[in-house]
Amino acid sequence: MSSKLHWVLLAVWSIILTSSVLYLSTLKAKLFDVNGLLLSNAMDTEFDHRFTSLIEETLGTRNGAVVHFTMDNCFCEYVAESHVMSVKNLASEHGFKNHVITLKSNNRFNIPSVPAVAVINQNGKLSYLGPYATGMFCSEGEGIVEQYINDNTEHNELGATILTDAQGCYCNLG
């Protein structure tokens, strides 16, 4: 290769690297429930029941389901991809069925951000609703949802854990 080609390739590589660093530096931890919509809805004592009924209406099932909420063109989902796959595998190992729902803004589930997940136990009760993890990289070590899949007993009489105050890499829907 000629010397000129080396310099051109180095310049292109430098531009790509600089652009990537600048883009990643614009990312910062965001609140999962930035407007408090999920929090205000979850205060209703019938929220868990309404949510699982909506899941059943949409998917035709609700017992033993892990519902993965996604949206198009969300960089944070790419970042969390390996964690999401590990959650799907864990859910399958524990007898849950994985379902994916692609959301748009103002969705009827009132999910404020993605990536998000809901765990509905084998008795049809909502156990967990919120992000997979906290932190900028939503990695497996920072996972939250796994404990609700691993512990499939119905011992929370107060209702589901609905995590609204998490901070991390999330794409807000509304």
Side-chain angles (χ1 to χ4, degrees):
M1 275 209 254
S2 71
S3 177
K4 228 180 207 180
L5 183 59
H6 284 292
W7 285 110
V8 169
L9 290 174
L10 180 62
V12 169
W13 179 80
S14 297
I15 290 170
I16 291 171
L17 183 62
T18 303
S19 298
S20 298
V21 168
L22 288 174
Y23 175 72
L24 290 174
S25 71
T26 63
L27 294 176
K28 61 180 182 180
K30 295 180 183 175
L31 284 173
F32 180 75
D33 189 15
V34 70
N35 296 325
L37 178 64
L38 182 59
L39 176 63
S40 65
N41 286 328
M43 298 301 235
D44 181 354
T45 57
E46 290 297 311
F47 176 81
D48 293 12
H49 177 71
R50 281 186 290 118
F51 186 85
T52 54
S53 294
L54 188 56
I55 292 293
E56 184 174 33
E57 175 186 314
T58 304
L59 301 174
T61 185
R62 72 174 173 191
N63 292 8
V66 176
V67 184
H68 307 270
F69 295 97
T70 184
M71 71 181 273
D72 295 330
N73 302 318
C74 174
F75 176 75
C76 295
E77 288 182 340
Y78 174 75
V79 170
E81 187 174 6
S82 67
H83 186 201
V84 171
M85 285 307 299
S86 73
V87 169
K88 287 179 177 179
N89 290 337
L90 181 67
S92 293
E93 289 170 12
H94 285 273
F96 287 90
K97 291 186 179 131
N98 288 294
H99 302 276
V100 176
I101 296 177
T102 302
L103 301 173
K104 307 247 184 263
S105 61
N106 298 326
N107 61 85
R108 64 191 206 155
F109 298 98
N110 292 319
I111 304 296
S113 299
V114 294
V117 62
V119 177
I120 302 171
N121 69 21
Q122 303 298 346
N123 297 322
K125 302 263 186 193
L126 181 65
S127 297
Y128 175 79
L129 175 61
Y132 290 86
T134 59
M136 282 306 297
F137 301 105
C138 295
S139 61
E140 295 171 51
E142 299 165 335
I144 301 166
V145 65
E146 288 86 348
Q147 65 184 322
Y148 298 94
I149 295 170
N150 285 326
D151 182 18
N152 195 26
T153 60
E154 190 174 334
H155 56 71
N156 189 354
E157 296 167 10
L158 297 176
T161 298
I162 301 173
L163 188 61
T164 60
D165 64 347
Q167 289 190 8
C169 184
Y170 309 122
C171 297
N172 301 122
L173 286 159

